Amino acid sequence: MKPLLGFFLIVTLLCLPYPGSSQSRLPRGSYPPALTFEHFPNRLFAFVWRNWNLVSAEKMARLLHCETWQVRDIAQAMGLEEKEPLFPAYSRQLYISLLRRNWHLLPYEQLLELTELSENQLDFALKEDDFLFHKFGRLKPRVERLQYSLPTAEAWEKAAQIYGQVDGHIQPPLPEEPRFAFIEQLSQVRSSANPSENAGSSGKGLRLIYSYFGVFGDPLVDPKNDPFPDGLLQKLAEKGVNGVWLHVVLNQLAPGGADFPEFGDRSSERLANLREMARRAQKYGISIYLYINEPRAMPARFFASRPDMAGLSKQGLTTLCTSNEKVQHWISQSLTHVFEQVPELGGVFTITASENLTNCASHGGKAACSRCSKRPYAEIIAEVNRLIAEGVHRAKPSARVVAWDWGWNGHGPARDVIAELPEDVELMSVSEWGLPIERGGVETRVSEYSLSAVGPGPRALDHWAAAKERGLNTVAKVQWNSTWELSALPWLPVMDLVAKHAANLNQAGVDGYMLSWTLGSYPSPNLEIAHKFSQNPSATVEQVLDELAWERYGRQRVSLVRKAWTGFSDAFQEFPYHQKVVYNAPQQYGPANLLFLEPTGYASTMVGFPYDDLAGWSGPYPPEVLVRQFEKVALGWKKGLDLLGEAAALPSTDLQKENLAEDLILAKAAYLHFLSVAQQGRFILLREQWRRSPSPFVYLQLRNLLEMEIQSAARLYALARVDSRIGFEASNQYYYLPQDLLEKIINCEQLLDTLAVQAASLHRGTGWQ
């Protein structure tokens, strides 16, 4: 994903209340009628199903204005077992999942009750939490308040059918790892290990990563949501990581002095917590880096007493013009203050042209600013980086300042900016950006993060060359674990692609890696590949992969595992890559995405709701080509799975057996995601044929696809039950939970029944056999 940074709070004090009902002040967009889910008896049953064990039965009863036993009756009728609800313990990691699964079921008033967010908090989250309202399609479906009413005999009967359908497909009962169990697992420290053992500081170059489960918001005033517990730091260091990054908002972290007295509320508390975090990280050879995306734009009222500092305005916000000397002074001095107070920090990396409105050139609109309109674009962008570097280095000359070229000149060539950068910064580029690729006969270029396309691409190579000409160090922004090609799993076993990319970067002479964005931060074996190349730059791809396979699975498995990795890598290179596909197609949800016999009319959204919008999934690929490419990915991936299964059957030590079993689960889950996208796309193509010209042939194909989706959902359900990481990604939280896969089974069973009725009616009317 692009660096979507809105999920980090601008400043809570600026979120002031304003008049009106929640329906009028929370964003609604086009406000179309909500979808109905006919596989449930009614909306009440759908609500209980989707929220069971996420929130308590008591809370659901309060929201529905009924008794707790009435909610439990509905749940028990559908075969749901009661467990300890998740929301009280993981409210910060679960509220996006709750909003998504209830978006079509509840109006805003009840979403507020369910998530325990205030109206201002929900409004702010939808606008600023990683562009959440955009992910939800920039619309709120229209739905009436949900209240309990006594179910009819027909509803109870349909609930009993749901019980039977689920019971018929999921046998025997499976063990389950509690959701979010991975947080506890990653937080545990191996007491037998020396903290400095395998410390991330070994080897050359920056190796920077985010937290796999970092809670967005303000962790520096909420230590309970520590994104970097000791156990995670230890595990990252063992994979060669020597830097972790944390987003901060500068006006929260440093006081503003006489010019900006509003800034710096609780900054001393934040800095004290940051200092403690940085000191803990140092025990593992890891430094903390701050992500600086400044200066943040402010509401118009902020400039009432300082109109000379206002730059351009956009969507209700106005830039703090960086051509103003007071603004320049604040940027620089605030960073000096931070590094004086927390000298343990390793440095910063910057984005100066992100989706967030910051400097007047950040969105290419500098012409609207009376001062910046007279200055070259490159001068403004480079100056912001210079101000940041001066502030940091005034306090700590050895700190790293990494300038990320994301968005410069609209992602085009930016040698003009590089030529203006100060000499004490490093230049970072997304390695694979701009790489030309061809998939299924469709030619395109990489315009997002990609694992399936092996970089570096022409833009990065040109920018690194320009930086080297100036004597600047270079950093490659890469994704070794996962991308939006499939982010619902912690990592993908495409080791050949990772190793080839790492080898290419070695040859290109880059000086360090940023290993992830907010996704792809798991301490996986993929990270070890980059670490091995950093320890031995002359190593070959074959040497690195053979060594990794031997260490993780044992000597006797090396040949089979290597063939499996190659199979996965070859298959993944068939992925129909395009920005529209990675954002809008249903690979994040796999079999959890519901099917419909009638078009919903809803457009797919950015990693939020794929719906049944095959055209929206496809980008430049004809829908038939998109489906065929996912079929190719799934078919090739299955060959790798078979080889990995053979390796698992060989005798091994307990640790090797455990590693292979764990990795096989993730590989199987990936296969089911790719296969399901192909099956869903094929279903939608056939659905349109059925609606235009029904025939026995199309009917049988539709039935077959529904039965295959039932099998895929049941198989992924079994895997997700035993691995709590499946379906999770930090910025989107849980895309799906095991019970959503059971809902897909119910959904497909209902469609099979409806299709059979339609076919019988057509048979009687036309006599087709």
Side-chain angles (χ1 to χ4, degrees):
M1 182 180 284
K2 301 173 185 176
L4 301 178
L5 308 174
F7 52 74
F8 299 107
L9 303 179
I10 296 176
V11 260
T12 303
L13 60 90
L14 294 175
C15 292
L16 300 176
Y18 41 95
S21 70
S22 60
Q23 286 285 6
S24 64
R25 67 212 244 190
L26 290 167
R28 296 193 304 182
S30 57
Y31 202 43
L35 294 179
T36 57
F37 303 99
E38 296 179 1
H39 46 282
F40 288 115
N42 55 41
R43 185 161 55 112
L44 175 63
F45 282 77
F47 169 76
V48 172
W49 178 281
R50 291 189 181 177
N51 296 284
W52 191 247
N53 292 328
L54 301 185
V55 299
S56 67
E58 290 79 7
K59 185 174 185 177
M60 283 193 271
R62 288 194 299 271
L63 185 143
L64 296 169
H65 295 288
C66 68
E67 300 296 327
T68 302
W69 64 263
Q70 292 174 309
V71 172
R72 289 196 171 102
D73 276 356
I74 290 174
Q76 290 167 5
M78 294 185 288
L80 297 171
E81 298 178 6
E82 189 164 6
K83 302 171 187 172
E84 192 71 25
L86 278 172
F87 190 70
Y90 295 101
S91 59
R92 298 294 300 277
Q93 290 100 338
L94 200 59
Y95 80 94
I96 292 176
S97 298
L98 281 176
L99 287 172
R100 187 189 299 113
R101 64 202 301 104
N102 290 283
W103 198 237
H104 284 268
L105 298 180
L106 300 177
Y108 272 133
E109 289 91 341
Q110 289 180 297
L111 288 174
L112 293 172
E113 295 177 47
L114 186 70
T115 58
E116 300 178 4
L117 294 172
S118 71
E119 194 170 278
N120 286 333
Q121 286 173 326
L122 179 56
D123 181 48
F124 190 80
L126 290 171
K127 291 176 181 177
E128 303 293 345
D129 197 340
D130 202 17
F131 296 86
L132 190 58
F133 194 61
H134 183 79
K135 288 181 179 179
F136 286 180
R138 291 177 289 188
L139 58 84
K140 173 67 179 80
R142 185 170 67 253
V143 62
E144 298 299 318
R145 186 176 182 89
L146 180 61
Q147 288 188 287
Y148 179 88
S149 61
L150 186 65
T152 64
E154 182 181 4
W156 289 122
E157 182 179 351
K158 191 167 184 178
Q161 291 175 355
I162 289 172
Y163 194 155
Q165 288 168 349
V166 171
D167 196 48
H169 288 289
I170 307 299
Q171 289 185 349
L174 297 162
E176 181 172 12
E177 180 177 81
R179 298 307 90 181
F180 297 109
F182 60 82
I183 294 180
E184 181 178 348
Q185 294 161 3
L186 289 174
S187 300
Q188 292 176 351
V189 177
R190 289 189 296 108
S191 58
S192 60
N194 185 323
S196 61
E197 182 184 347
N198 296 318
S201 58
S202 62
K204 295 192 303 180
L206 178 67
R207 293 180 299 283
L208 183 65
I209 205 164
Y210 189 63
S211 167
Y212 177 65
F213 52 80
V215 174
F216 303 135
D218 194 356
L220 295 180
V221 293
D222 188 6
K224 291 183 298 184
N225 289 313
D226 180 7
F228 295 108
D230 282 62
L232 180 59
L233 291 169
Q234 182 187 57
K235 293 172 180 63
L236 289 172
E238 290 169 353
K239 304 299 182 185
V241 168
N242 59 19
V244 294
W245 62 270
L246 187 71
H247 185 279
V248 294
V249 176
L250 208 48
N251 57 37
Q252 290 181 333
L253 203 58
D259 293 325
F260 304 102
E262 306 95 326
F263 292 172
D265 181 46
R266 301 180 71 181
S267 62
S268 296
E269 179 184 351
R270 290 186 178 91
L271 289 171
N273 290 332
L274 178 59
R275 189 181 310 117
E276 190 278 332
M277 188 185 298
R279 288 172 178 172
R280 282 194 297 107
Q282 283 187 333
K283 293 190 303 181
Y284 301 96
I286 291 176
S287 297
I288 289 181
Y289 290 75
L290 302 182
Y291 176 19
I292 302 298
N293 185 28
E294 299 287 347
R296 292 304 181 92
M298 294 292 175
R301 62 180 177 271
F302 179 84
F303 298 95
S305 63
R306 45 177 82 89
D308 57 318
M309 299 184 192
L312 63 93
S313 296
K314 184 178 180 180
Q315 296 179 341
L317 294 173
T318 300
T319 61
L320 276 162
C321 180
T322 57
S323 294
N324 179 280
E325 289 184 1
K326 290 183 178 180
V327 173
Q328 293 180 0
H329 178 78
W330 172 73
I331 293 171
S332 182
Q333 288 300 320
S334 61
L335 282 159
T336 298
H337 175 77
V338 170
F339 275 76
E340 285 175 343
Q341 296 298 309
V342 193
E344 297 85 355
L345 291 171
V348 304
F349 72 94
T350 72
I351 283 189
T352 40
S354 79
E355 286 96 341
N356 284 91
L357 186 62
T358 54
N359 64 78
C360 296
S362 62
H363 284 198
K366 71 183 182 69
C369 174
S370 60
R371 292 172 294 272
C372 293
S373 61
K374 302 170 185 176
R375 304 180 63 194
Y377 171 91
E379 181 181 291
I380 297 169
I381 296 295
E383 181 177 68
V384 176
N385 283 285
R386 176 181 60 77
L387 293 168
I388 292 168
E390 285 177 353
V392 170
H393 290 148
R394 188 181 298 117
K396 186 175 181 178
S398 63
R400 278 181 144 135
V401 177
V402 179
W404 192 355
D405 65 7
W406 197 96
W408 291 354
N409 286 329
H411 298 300
R415 276 182 168 254
D416 56 339
V417 182
I418 298 168
E420 299 281 343
L421 289 175
E423 295 179 354
D424 56 351
V425 305
E426 303 176 41
L427 178 76
M428 180 161 70
S429 291
V430 176
S431 175
E432 61 270 23
W433 205 291
L435 192 71
I437 57 172
E438 181 271 321
R439 309 276 167 90
V442 177
E443 294 182 355
T444 185
R445 286 180 178 269
V446 174
S447 58
E448 252 298 352
Y449 307 137
S450 175
L451 265 175
S452 66
V454 176
R459 184 175 188 264
L461 287 171
D462 183 59
H463 284 192
W464 291 330
K468 289 293 187 183
E469 289 165 11
R470 295 208 45 226
L472 307 182
N473 281 347
T474 56
V475 178
K477 167 66 191 68
V478 293
Q479 294 283 141
W480 289 157
N481 279 326
S482 63
T483 66
W484 302 113
E485 290 156 311
L486 178 54
S487 65
L489 302 175
W491 57 279
L492 298 175
V494 288
M495 277 40 179
D496 293 46
L497 301 180
V498 175
K500 289 174 184 175
H501 197 161
N504 291 347
L505 292 175
N506 257 7
Q507 188 174 0
V510 296
D511 301 298
Y513 298 143
M514 180 174 172
L515 298 163
S516 79
W517 185 235
T518 57
L519 75 163
S521 303
Y522 193 82
S524 77
N526 292 31
L527 300 186
E528 295 180 47
I529 294 172
H531 186 37
K532 289 181 183 300
F533 275 112
S534 69
Q535 290 177 314
N536 182 11
S538 63
T540 66
V541 168
E542 296 299 315
Q543 289 170 338
V544 166
L545 293 183
D546 282 350
E547 183 180 336
L548 179 62
W550 189 326
E551 291 172 353
R552 189 162 179 83
Y553 308 118
R555 180 184 59 80
Q556 69 273 32
R557 288 185 176 76
V558 169
S559 176
L560 283 171
V561 168
R562 285 293 320 281
K563 289 177 183 177
W565 288 348
T566 299
F568 296 140
S569 299
D570 289 347
F572 203 44
Q573 289 185 296
E574 295 290 349
F575 188 96
Y577 183 91
H578 187 266
Q579 188 172 4
K580 286 285 290 183
V581 178
V582 298
Y583 277 160
N584 291 66
Q587 67 271 9
Q588 321 302 345
Y589 297 85
N593 191 43
L594 299 176
L595 294 174
F596 300 86
L597 274 180
E598 293 295 324
T600 66
Y602 272 84
S604 58
T605 74
M606 185 181 73
V607 301
F609 292 100
Y611 295 117
D612 56 346
D613 181 20
L614 178 58
W617 303 350
S618 300
Y621 298 91
E624 176 67 39
V625 174
L626 180 91
V627 172
R628 284 204 307 268
Q629 287 306 117
F630 273 105
E631 288 170 343
K632 289 179 183 178
V633 175
L635 182 63
W637 201 273
K638 180 63 167 60
K639 295 176 182 177
L641 268 183
D642 292 341
L643 290 164
L644 207 59
E646 286 184 44
L650 296 176
S652 63
T653 67
D654 289 344
L655 179 58
Q656 292 166 352
K657 184 176 182 180
E658 181 182 335
N659 286 340
L660 195 48
E662 178 183 315
D663 298 352
L664 191 55
I665 285 173
L666 294 179
K668 287 178 179 178
Y671 166 70
L672 293 169
H673 278 252
F674 299 135
L675 178 65
S676 180
V677 177
Q679 290 171 174
Q680 292 177 53
R682 186 68 64 193
F683 176 88
I684 293 167
L685 290 171
L686 286 165
R687 179 187 73 180
E688 299 314 303
Q689 284 186 248
W690 177 252
R691 295 177 72 240
R692 290 193 308 267
S693 179
S695 70
F697 176 72
V698 175
Y699 168 69
L700 291 174
Q701 285 188 297
L702 284 171
R703 284 192 61 87
N704 184 52
L705 283 165
L706 288 170
E707 289 166 354
M708 290 170 68
E709 274 292 273
I710 288 173
Q711 292 176 12
S712 295
R715 291 168 66 188
L716 186 56
Y717 171 79
L719 300 174
R721 289 264 302 192
V722 300
D723 192 330
S724 62
R725 299 170 300 175
I726 293 176
F728 177 83
E729 189 277 319
S731 64
N732 292 283
Q733 302 181 352
Y734 272 111
Y735 289 115
Y736 60 84
L737 296 157
Q739 64 207 60
D740 299 319
L741 296 162
L742 298 184
E743 180 178 344
K744 179 60 172 288
I745 293 172
I746 301 164
N747 165 236
C748 290
E749 289 283 9
Q750 187 268 332
L751 295 183
L752 283 168
D753 291 343
T754 302
L755 198 59
V757 171
Q758 292 179 1
S761 175
L762 288 166
H763 176 71
R764 288 193 298 270
T766 64
W768 53 257
Q769 300 296 316

